[in-house]
mmCIF file of all heavy atoms in Angstrom:
data_model
loop_
_atom_site.group_PDB
_atom_site.id
_atom_site.type_symbol
_atom_site.label_atom_id
_atom_site.label_comp_id
_atom_site.label_asym_id
_atom_site.label_seq_id
_atom_site.Cartn_x
_atom_site.Cartn_y
_atom_site.Cartn_z
ATOM 1 N N ARG W 16 -2.066 58.737 67.898
ATOM 2 C CA ARG W 16 -0.738 59.166 68.297
ATOM 3 C C ARG W 16 -0.077 60.085 67.260
ATOM 4 O O ARG W 16 1.072 60.493 67.436
ATOM 5 C CB ARG W 16 0.155 57.970 68.513
ATOM 6 C CG ARG W 16 -0.353 57.039 69.623
ATOM 7 C CD ARG W 16 0.599 55.913 69.921
ATOM 8 N NE ARG W 16 0.150 55.024 71.010
ATOM 9 C CZ ARG W 16 0.817 54.051 71.517
ATOM 10 N NH1 ARG W 16 2.017 53.764 70.987
ATOM 11 N NH2 ARG W 16 0.306 53.328 72.504
ATOM 12 N N ASN W 17 -0.798 60.376 66.198
ATOM 13 C CA ASN W 17 -0.259 61.231 65.124
ATOM 14 C C ASN W 17 1.066 60.701 64.611
ATOM 15 O O ASN W 17 2.033 61.444 64.460
ATOM 16 C CB ASN W 17 -0.099 62.652 65.610
ATOM 17 C CG ASN W 17 -1.419 63.390 65.681
ATOM 18 O OD1 ASN W 17 -2.365 63.072 64.979
ATOM 19 N ND2 ASN W 17 -1.512 64.372 66.562
ATOM 20 N N THR W 18 1.126 59.426 64.353
ATOM 21 C CA THR W 18 2.354 58.798 63.840
ATOM 22 C C THR W 18 2.095 57.993 62.594
ATOM 23 O O THR W 18 1.007 57.476 62.377
ATOM 24 C CB THR W 18 2.982 57.897 64.890
ATOM 25 O OG1 THR W 18 2.057 56.840 65.218
ATOM 26 C CG2 THR W 18 3.391 58.672 66.142
ATOM 27 N N VAL W 19 3.099 57.912 61.768
ATOM 28 C CA VAL W 19 3.122 57.064 60.601
ATOM 29 C C VAL W 19 4.373 56.166 60.712
ATOM 30 O O VAL W 19 5.444 56.685 61.081
ATOM 31 C CB VAL W 19 3.141 57.846 59.303
ATOM 32 C CG1 VAL W 19 3.324 56.921 58.124
ATOM 33 C CG2 VAL W 19 1.871 58.633 59.143
ATOM 34 N N SER W 20 4.218 54.922 60.361
ATOM 35 C CA SER W 20 5.357 53.991 60.463
ATOM 36 C C SER W 20 5.634 53.337 59.121
ATOM 37 O O SER W 20 4.733 53.239 58.264
ATOM 38 C CB SER W 20 5.064 52.933 61.525
ATOM 39 O OG SER W 20 4.932 53.484 62.798
ATOM 40 N N LEU W 21 6.847 52.902 58.933
ATOM 41 C CA LEU W 21 7.262 52.162 57.754
ATOM 42 C C LEU W 21 7.983 50.923 58.224
ATOM 43 O O LEU W 21 9.127 51.018 58.687
ATOM 44 C CB LEU W 21 8.135 53.008 56.838
ATOM 45 C CG LEU W 21 8.489 52.388 55.514
ATOM 46 C CD1 LEU W 21 7.223 52.287 54.632
ATOM 47 C CD2 LEU W 21 9.552 53.182 54.797
ATOM 48 N N GLN W 22 7.334 49.782 58.102
ATOM 49 C CA GLN W 22 7.963 48.504 58.447
ATOM 50 C C GLN W 22 8.697 48.008 57.194
ATOM 51 O O GLN W 22 8.082 47.823 56.144
ATOM 52 C CB GLN W 22 6.937 47.512 58.900
ATOM 53 C CG GLN W 22 7.471 46.137 59.193
ATOM 54 C CD GLN W 22 8.425 46.106 60.398
ATOM 55 O OE1 GLN W 22 8.111 46.767 61.387
ATOM 56 N NE2 GLN W 22 9.512 45.409 60.281
ATOM 57 N N MET W 23 9.983 47.779 57.346
ATOM 58 C CA MET W 23 10.822 47.414 56.187
ATOM 59 C C MET W 23 11.394 46.036 56.451
ATOM 60 O O MET W 23 12.197 45.841 57.406
ATOM 61 C CB MET W 23 11.939 48.437 55.993
ATOM 62 C CG MET W 23 11.441 49.853 55.851
ATOM 63 S SD MET W 23 12.770 51.035 55.459
ATOM 64 C CE MET W 23 13.723 50.942 56.951
ATOM 65 N N ASN W 24 10.981 45.076 55.623
ATOM 66 C CA ASN W 24 11.465 43.704 55.739
ATOM 67 C C ASN W 24 12.271 43.299 54.522
ATOM 68 O O ASN W 24 12.194 43.994 53.481
ATOM 69 C CB ASN W 24 10.277 42.751 55.903
ATOM 70 C CG ASN W 24 9.457 43.024 57.132
ATOM 71 O OD1 ASN W 24 9.981 43.475 58.187
ATOM 72 N ND2 ASN W 24 8.151 42.754 57.083
ATOM 73 N N SER W 25 13.003 42.239 54.632
ATOM 74 C CA SER W 25 13.790 41.728 53.505
ATOM 75 C C SER W 25 14.621 42.848 52.890
ATOM 76 O O SER W 25 14.649 43.031 51.671
ATOM 77 C CB SER W 25 12.893 41.078 52.467
ATOM 78 O OG SER W 25 12.135 40.045 53.014
ATOM 79 N N LEU W 26 15.296 43.613 53.754
ATOM 80 C CA LEU W 26 16.081 44.752 53.253
ATOM 81 C C LEU W 26 17.214 44.325 52.364
ATOM 82 O O LEU W 26 17.836 43.268 52.566
ATOM 83 C CB LEU W 26 16.561 45.555 54.424
ATOM 84 C CG LEU W 26 15.480 46.428 55.092
ATOM 85 C CD1 LEU W 26 15.898 46.868 56.477
ATOM 86 C CD2 LEU W 26 15.199 47.644 54.216
ATOM 87 N N LYS W 27 17.487 45.162 51.385
ATOM 88 C CA LYS W 27 18.538 44.948 50.418
ATOM 89 C C LYS W 27 19.545 46.095 50.503
ATOM 90 O O LYS W 27 19.186 47.200 50.918
ATOM 91 C CB LYS W 27 17.978 44.902 49.021
ATOM 92 C CG LYS W 27 16.843 43.873 48.828
ATOM 93 C CD LYS W 27 16.228 43.989 47.432
ATOM 94 C CE LYS W 27 15.130 43.005 47.256
ATOM 95 N NZ LYS W 27 14.515 43.115 45.889
ATOM 96 N N PRO W 28 20.768 45.862 50.064
ATOM 97 C CA PRO W 28 21.777 46.969 50.077
ATOM 98 C C PRO W 28 21.279 48.178 49.287
ATOM 99 O O PRO W 28 21.578 49.295 49.656
ATOM 100 C CB PRO W 28 22.993 46.308 49.426
ATOM 101 C CG PRO W 28 22.868 44.863 49.796
ATOM 102 C CD PRO W 28 21.415 44.555 49.744
ATOM 103 N N GLU W 29 20.491 47.958 48.232
ATOM 104 C CA GLU W 29 20.029 49.081 47.433
ATOM 105 C C GLU W 29 18.951 49.858 48.174
ATOM 106 O O GLU W 29 18.497 50.913 47.671
ATOM 107 C CB GLU W 29 19.478 48.599 46.091
ATOM 108 C CG GLU W 29 18.518 47.468 46.146
ATOM 109 C CD GLU W 29 19.163 46.114 45.928
ATOM 110 O OE1 GLU W 29 20.290 45.894 46.464
ATOM 111 O OE2 GLU W 29 18.572 45.303 45.199
ATOM 112 N N ASP W 30 18.510 49.410 49.313
ATOM 113 C CA ASP W 30 17.556 50.230 50.157
ATOM 114 C C ASP W 30 18.310 51.241 50.993
ATOM 115 O O ASP W 30 17.677 52.089 51.642
ATOM 116 C CB ASP W 30 16.766 49.290 51.061
ATOM 117 C CG ASP W 30 15.829 48.389 50.318
ATOM 118 O OD1 ASP W 30 15.178 48.847 49.367
ATOM 119 O OD2 ASP W 30 15.743 47.215 50.723
ATOM 120 N N THR W 31 19.619 51.192 50.978
ATOM 121 C CA THR W 31 20.415 52.151 51.718
ATOM 122 C C THR W 31 20.164 53.600 51.240
ATOM 123 O O THR W 31 20.284 53.878 50.041
ATOM 124 C CB THR W 31 21.934 51.830 51.604
ATOM 125 O OG1 THR W 31 22.165 50.570 52.205
ATOM 126 C CG2 THR W 31 22.759 52.909 52.286
ATOM 127 N N ALA W 32 19.782 54.443 52.196
ATOM 128 C CA ALA W 32 19.448 55.822 51.834
ATOM 129 C C ALA W 32 19.074 56.591 53.122
ATOM 130 O O ALA W 32 18.930 55.995 54.174
ATOM 131 C CB ALA W 32 18.230 55.866 50.868
ATOM 132 N N VAL W 33 18.913 57.873 52.968
ATOM 133 C CA VAL W 33 18.280 58.676 54.024
ATOM 134 C C VAL W 33 16.793 58.628 53.735
ATOM 135 O O VAL W 33 16.340 58.952 52.624
ATOM 136 C CB VAL W 33 18.777 60.108 54.053
ATOM 137 C CG1 VAL W 33 18.071 60.931 55.099
ATOM 138 C CG2 VAL W 33 20.278 60.146 54.332
ATOM 139 N N TYR W 34 16.009 58.256 54.740
ATOM 140 C CA TYR W 34 14.571 58.164 54.593
ATOM 141 C C TYR W 34 13.895 59.383 55.204
ATOM 142 O O TYR W 34 14.203 59.743 56.358
ATOM 143 C CB TYR W 34 14.080 56.860 55.232
ATOM 144 C CG TYR W 34 14.329 55.656 54.412
ATOM 145 C CD1 TYR W 34 15.618 55.161 54.220
ATOM 146 C CD2 TYR W 34 13.306 54.994 53.770
ATOM 147 C CE1 TYR W 34 15.880 54.078 53.435
ATOM 148 C CE2 TYR W 34 13.537 53.886 52.946
ATOM 149 C CZ TYR W 34 14.825 53.411 52.789
ATOM 150 O OH TYR W 34 15.075 52.332 51.993
ATOM 151 N N TYR W 35 12.991 59.959 54.459
ATOM 152 C CA TYR W 35 12.286 61.159 54.915
ATOM 153 C C TYR W 35 10.793 60.912 55.023
ATOM 154 O O TYR W 35 10.179 60.268 54.164
ATOM 155 C CB TYR W 35 12.490 62.306 53.893
ATOM 156 C CG TYR W 35 13.923 62.770 53.770
ATOM 157 C CD1 TYR W 35 14.762 62.204 52.825
ATOM 158 C CD2 TYR W 35 14.422 63.775 54.558
ATOM 159 C CE1 TYR W 35 16.077 62.631 52.669
ATOM 160 C CE2 TYR W 35 15.726 64.220 54.435
ATOM 161 C CZ TYR W 35 16.547 63.631 53.498
ATOM 162 O OH TYR W 35 17.852 64.078 53.331
ATOM 163 N N CYS W 36 10.228 61.397 56.081
ATOM 164 C CA CYS W 36 8.809 61.437 56.268
ATOM 165 C C CYS W 36 8.293 62.757 55.716
ATOM 166 O O CYS W 36 8.985 63.791 55.884
ATOM 167 C CB CYS W 36 8.496 61.301 57.749
ATOM 168 S SG CYS W 36 6.767 61.517 58.213
ATOM 169 N N ALA W 37 7.127 62.765 55.080
ATOM 170 C CA ALA W 37 6.576 63.985 54.512
ATOM 171 C C ALA W 37 5.040 64.027 54.713
ATOM 172 O O ALA W 37 4.401 62.975 54.728
ATOM 173 C CB ALA W 37 6.931 64.075 53.048
ATOM 174 N N ALA W 38 4.555 65.241 54.797
ATOM 175 C CA ALA W 38 3.103 65.436 54.940
ATOM 176 C C ALA W 38 2.607 66.370 53.855
ATOM 177 O O ALA W 38 3.258 67.379 53.526
ATOM 178 C CB ALA W 38 2.771 66.021 56.312
ATOM 179 N N ALA W 39 1.452 66.013 53.318
ATOM 180 C CA ALA W 39 0.875 66.824 52.245
ATOM 181 C C ALA W 39 -0.541 67.249 52.652
ATOM 182 O O ALA W 39 -1.281 66.514 53.286
ATOM 183 C CB ALA W 39 0.811 66.046 50.946
ATOM 184 N N VAL W 40 -0.904 68.450 52.266
ATOM 185 C CA VAL W 40 -2.287 68.939 52.391
ATOM 186 C C VAL W 40 -2.989 68.610 51.118
ATOM 187 O O VAL W 40 -2.383 68.221 50.104
ATOM 188 C CB VAL W 40 -2.326 70.460 52.676
ATOM 189 C CG1 VAL W 40 -1.604 70.756 53.970
ATOM 190 C CG2 VAL W 40 -1.701 71.254 51.541
ATOM 191 N N PHE W 41 -4.340 68.743 51.117
ATOM 192 C CA PHE W 41 -5.107 68.394 49.938
ATOM 193 C C PHE W 41 -4.809 69.346 48.785
ATOM 194 O O PHE W 41 -4.771 70.554 48.962
ATOM 195 C CB PHE W 41 -6.590 68.398 50.218
ATOM 196 C CG PHE W 41 -7.407 68.115 49.003
ATOM 197 C CD1 PHE W 41 -7.522 66.820 48.488
ATOM 198 C CD2 PHE W 41 -8.086 69.130 48.317
ATOM 199 C CE1 PHE W 41 -8.227 66.542 47.393
ATOM 200 C CE2 PHE W 41 -8.801 68.862 47.196
ATOM 201 C CZ PHE W 41 -8.898 67.584 46.699
ATOM 202 N N ASP W 42 -4.609 68.766 47.590
ATOM 203 C CA ASP W 42 -4.412 69.523 46.379
ATOM 204 C C ASP W 42 -4.991 68.716 45.254
ATOM 205 O O ASP W 42 -4.578 67.582 45.000
ATOM 206 C CB ASP W 42 -2.921 69.787 46.140
ATOM 207 C CG ASP W 42 -2.654 70.629 44.904
ATOM 208 O OD1 ASP W 42 -3.542 70.734 44.062
ATOM 209 O OD2 ASP W 42 -1.543 71.165 44.798
ATOM 210 N N VAL W 43 -5.982 69.283 44.552
ATOM 211 C CA VAL W 43 -6.701 68.529 43.552
ATOM 212 C C VAL W 43 -5.802 68.019 42.433
ATOM 213 O O VAL W 43 -6.042 67.039 41.816
ATOM 214 C CB VAL W 43 -7.870 69.352 42.985
ATOM 215 C CG1 VAL W 43 -7.332 70.547 42.221
ATOM 216 C CG2 VAL W 43 -8.794 68.501 42.138
ATOM 217 N N GLY W 44 -4.690 68.750 42.209
ATOM 218 C CA GLY W 44 -3.785 68.346 41.125
ATOM 219 C C GLY W 44 -2.621 67.513 41.558
ATOM 220 O O GLY W 44 -1.758 67.187 40.749
ATOM 221 N N ALA W 45 -2.594 67.152 42.834
ATOM 222 C CA ALA W 45 -1.423 66.443 43.352
ATOM 223 C C ALA W 45 -1.465 64.936 43.033
ATOM 224 O O ALA W 45 -2.573 64.343 42.979
ATOM 225 C CB ALA W 45 -1.320 66.609 44.864
ATOM 226 N N ASP W 46 -0.321 64.370 42.852
ATOM 227 C CA ASP W 46 -0.192 62.944 42.592
ATOM 228 C C ASP W 46 0.180 62.220 43.893
ATOM 229 O O ASP W 46 -0.132 61.054 44.032
ATOM 230 C CB ASP W 46 0.885 62.706 41.553
ATOM 231 C CG ASP W 46 1.108 61.248 41.263
ATOM 232 O OD1 ASP W 46 0.285 60.649 40.563
ATOM 233 O OD2 ASP W 46 2.139 60.708 41.754
ATOM 234 N N TYR W 47 0.842 62.890 44.758
ATOM 235 C CA TYR W 47 1.302 62.371 46.050
ATOM 236 C C TYR W 47 2.352 61.299 45.926
ATOM 237 O O TYR W 47 2.630 60.572 46.898
ATOM 238 C CB TYR W 47 0.137 61.920 46.939
ATOM 239 C CG TYR W 47 -0.853 63.014 47.199
ATOM 240 C CD1 TYR W 47 -2.129 62.972 46.740
ATOM 241 C CD2 TYR W 47 -0.478 64.118 47.959
ATOM 242 C CE1 TYR W 47 -3.026 64.000 46.964
ATOM 243 C CE2 TYR W 47 -1.358 65.159 48.215
ATOM 244 C CZ TYR W 47 -2.633 65.084 47.721
ATOM 245 O OH TYR W 47 -3.514 66.097 47.984
ATOM 246 N N ARG W 48 2.916 61.141 44.747
ATOM 247 C CA ARG W 48 4.128 60.310 44.572
ATOM 248 C C ARG W 48 5.285 61.162 44.142
ATOM 249 O O ARG W 48 6.392 60.661 43.851
ATOM 250 C CB ARG W 48 3.872 59.209 43.547
ATOM 251 C CG ARG W 48 2.962 58.110 44.037
ATOM 252 C CD ARG W 48 2.625 57.104 42.981
ATOM 253 N NE ARG W 48 1.824 57.678 41.901
ATOM 254 C CZ ARG W 48 1.438 57.002 40.845
ATOM 255 N NH1 ARG W 48 1.810 55.730 40.680
ATOM 256 N NH2 ARG W 48 0.695 57.574 39.940
ATOM 257 N N ARG W 49 5.085 62.475 44.121
ATOM 258 C CA ARG W 49 6.135 63.433 43.757
ATOM 259 C C ARG W 49 6.509 64.234 45.004
ATOM 260 O O ARG W 49 5.608 64.688 45.745
ATOM 261 C CB ARG W 49 5.631 64.366 42.656
ATOM 262 C CG ARG W 49 5.153 63.650 41.409
ATOM 263 C CD ARG W 49 4.502 64.627 40.439
ATOM 264 N NE ARG W 49 3.372 65.325 41.035
ATOM 265 C CZ ARG W 49 2.478 66.003 40.299
ATOM 266 N NH1 ARG W 49 2.609 66.053 38.989
ATOM 267 N NH2 ARG W 49 1.473 66.611 40.890
ATOM 268 N N TYR W 50 7.765 64.422 45.176
ATOM 269 C CA TYR W 50 8.199 65.118 46.400
ATOM 270 C C TYR W 50 7.655 66.550 46.438
ATOM 271 O O TYR W 50 7.407 67.067 47.493
ATOM 272 C CB TYR W 50 9.732 65.087 46.531
ATOM 273 C CG TYR W 50 10.466 65.900 45.490
ATOM 274 C CD1 TYR W 50 10.693 67.257 45.684
ATOM 275 C CD2 TYR W 50 11.007 65.299 44.373
ATOM 276 C CE1 TYR W 50 11.387 67.994 44.787
ATOM 277 C CE2 TYR W 50 11.678 66.024 43.430
ATOM 278 C CZ TYR W 50 11.891 67.361 43.643
ATOM 279 O OH TYR W 50 12.576 68.097 42.709
ATOM 280 N N ARG W 51 7.420 67.125 45.295
ATOM 281 C CA ARG W 51 6.937 68.516 45.301
ATOM 282 C C ARG W 51 5.466 68.646 45.743
ATOM 283 O O ARG W 51 4.982 69.761 45.977
ATOM 284 C CB ARG W 51 7.080 69.159 43.922
ATOM 285 C CG ARG W 51 6.318 68.522 42.813
ATOM 286 C CD ARG W 51 6.510 69.285 41.521
ATOM 287 N NE ARG W 51 5.806 68.718 40.379
ATOM 288 C CZ ARG W 51 6.342 67.853 39.541
ATOM 289 N NH1 ARG W 51 7.584 67.454 39.727
ATOM 290 N NH2 ARG W 51 5.664 67.396 38.513
ATOM 291 N N ASP W 52 4.796 67.549 45.876
ATOM 292 C CA ASP W 52 3.411 67.563 46.363
ATOM 293 C C ASP W 52 3.331 67.630 47.882
ATOM 294 O O ASP W 52 2.211 67.732 48.442
ATOM 295 C CB ASP W 52 2.657 66.320 45.907
ATOM 296 C CG ASP W 52 2.384 66.317 44.388
ATOM 297 O OD1 ASP W 52 2.266 67.439 43.818
ATOM 298 O OD2 ASP W 52 2.355 65.233 43.789
ATOM 299 N N TYR W 53 4.475 67.540 48.545
ATOM 300 C CA TYR W 53 4.533 67.493 49.996
ATOM 301 C C TYR W 53 5.083 68.832 50.499
ATOM 302 O O TYR W 53 6.141 69.294 50.084
ATOM 303 C CB TYR W 53 5.353 66.348 50.492
ATOM 304 C CG TYR W 53 4.676 65.023 50.222
ATOM 305 C CD1 TYR W 53 4.721 64.456 48.934
ATOM 306 C CD2 TYR W 53 4.001 64.317 51.205
ATOM 307 C CE1 TYR W 53 4.087 63.270 48.695
ATOM 308 C CE2 TYR W 53 3.392 63.127 50.942
ATOM 309 C CZ TYR W 53 3.439 62.593 49.709
ATOM 310 O OH TYR W 53 2.791 61.395 49.446
ATOM 311 N N ALA W 54 4.363 69.423 51.484
ATOM 312 C CA ALA W 54 4.748 70.716 52.011
ATOM 313 C C ALA W 54 5.639 70.602 53.212
ATOM 314 O O ALA W 54 6.410 71.557 53.497
ATOM 315 C CB ALA W 54 3.520 71.514 52.371
ATOM 316 N N TYR W 55 5.549 69.543 53.942
ATOM 317 C CA TYR W 55 6.281 69.425 55.218
ATOM 318 C C TYR W 55 7.170 68.178 55.184
ATOM 319 O O TYR W 55 6.731 67.085 54.725
ATOM 320 C CB TYR W 55 5.278 69.350 56.380
ATOM 321 C CG TYR W 55 4.319 70.499 56.380
ATOM 322 C CD1 TYR W 55 2.993 70.334 55.939
ATOM 323 C CD2 TYR W 55 4.717 71.772 56.821
ATOM 324 C CE1 TYR W 55 2.109 71.400 55.936
ATOM 325 C CE2 TYR W 55 3.835 72.830 56.827
ATOM 326 C CZ TYR W 55 2.527 72.623 56.381
ATOM 327 O OH TYR W 55 1.667 73.667 56.379
ATOM 328 N N TRP W 56 8.353 68.352 55.730
ATOM 329 C CA TRP W 56 9.369 67.265 55.719
ATOM 330 C C TRP W 56 10.026 67.115 57.069
ATOM 331 O O TRP W 56 10.270 68.116 57.777
ATOM 332 C CB TRP W 56 10.405 67.566 54.667
ATOM 333 C CG TRP W 56 9.870 67.519 53.265
ATOM 334 C CD1 TRP W 56 9.233 68.496 52.580
ATOM 335 C CD2 TRP W 56 9.920 66.378 52.391
ATOM 336 N NE1 TRP W 56 8.882 68.051 51.309
ATOM 337 C CE2 TRP W 56 9.278 66.767 51.200
ATOM 338 C CE3 TRP W 56 10.408 65.086 52.497
ATOM 339 C CZ2 TRP W 56 9.100 65.878 50.108
ATOM 340 C CZ3 TRP W 56 10.256 64.226 51.430
ATOM 341 C CH2 TRP W 56 9.639 64.598 50.261
ATOM 342 N N GLY W 57 10.379 65.872 57.373
ATOM 343 C CA GLY W 57 11.188 65.635 58.537
ATOM 344 C C GLY W 57 12.653 65.820 58.181
ATOM 345 O O GLY W 57 13.006 66.128 57.033
ATOM 346 N N GLN W 58 13.509 65.614 59.174
ATOM 347 C CA GLN W 58 14.943 65.844 58.988
ATOM 348 C C GLN W 58 15.634 64.674 58.336
ATOM 349 O O GLN W 58 16.771 64.779 57.868
ATOM 350 C CB GLN W 58 15.606 66.146 60.348
ATOM 351 C CG GLN W 58 15.922 64.939 61.217
ATOM 352 C CD GLN W 58 14.718 64.319 61.841
ATOM 353 O OE1 GLN W 58 13.590 64.812 61.733
ATOM 354 N NE2 GLN W 58 14.930 63.221 62.557
ATOM 355 N N GLY W 59 14.972 63.526 58.282
ATOM 356 C CA GLY W 59 15.560 62.352 57.624
ATOM 357 C C GLY W 59 16.236 61.418 58.637
ATOM 358 O O GLY W 59 16.742 61.902 59.696
ATOM 359 N N THR W 60 16.266 60.141 58.340
ATOM 360 C CA THR W 60 16.929 59.171 59.158
ATOM 361 C C THR W 60 17.660 58.197 58.278
ATOM 362 O O THR W 60 17.148 57.768 57.279
ATOM 363 C CB THR W 60 15.924 58.433 60.099
ATOM 364 O OG1 THR W 60 16.644 57.598 61.017
ATOM 365 C CG2 THR W 60 14.926 57.617 59.330
ATOM 366 N N GLN W 61 18.924 57.887 58.651
ATOM 367 C CA GLN W 61 19.750 57.066 57.785
ATOM 368 C C GLN W 61 19.450 55.586 57.956
ATOM 369 O O GLN W 61 19.349 55.092 59.102
ATOM 370 C CB GLN W 61 21.225 57.298 58.129
ATOM 371 C CG GLN W 61 22.211 56.446 57.338
ATOM 372 C CD GLN W 61 22.281 56.811 55.897
ATOM 373 O OE1 GLN W 61 22.371 57.984 55.519
ATOM 374 N NE2 GLN W 61 22.261 55.813 54.998
ATOM 375 N N VAL W 62 19.273 54.924 56.838
ATOM 376 C CA VAL W 62 19.144 53.473 56.833
ATOM 377 C C VAL W 62 20.271 52.893 55.978
ATOM 378 O O VAL W 62 20.453 53.271 54.819
ATOM 379 C CB VAL W 62 17.776 53.031 56.235
ATOM 380 C CG1 VAL W 62 17.763 51.529 56.015
ATOM 381 C CG2 VAL W 62 16.669 53.477 57.132
#
């Protein structure tokens, strides 16, 4: 279905944020925990 999900349990007030989905292509130097490693972004959804 070309989908990725994030199941969030035991939510805390500090989890409040705009959540963004992102997609990255392969890059040998990428860490994939840095936002700059991702080329494509969704519009975000408020939690």
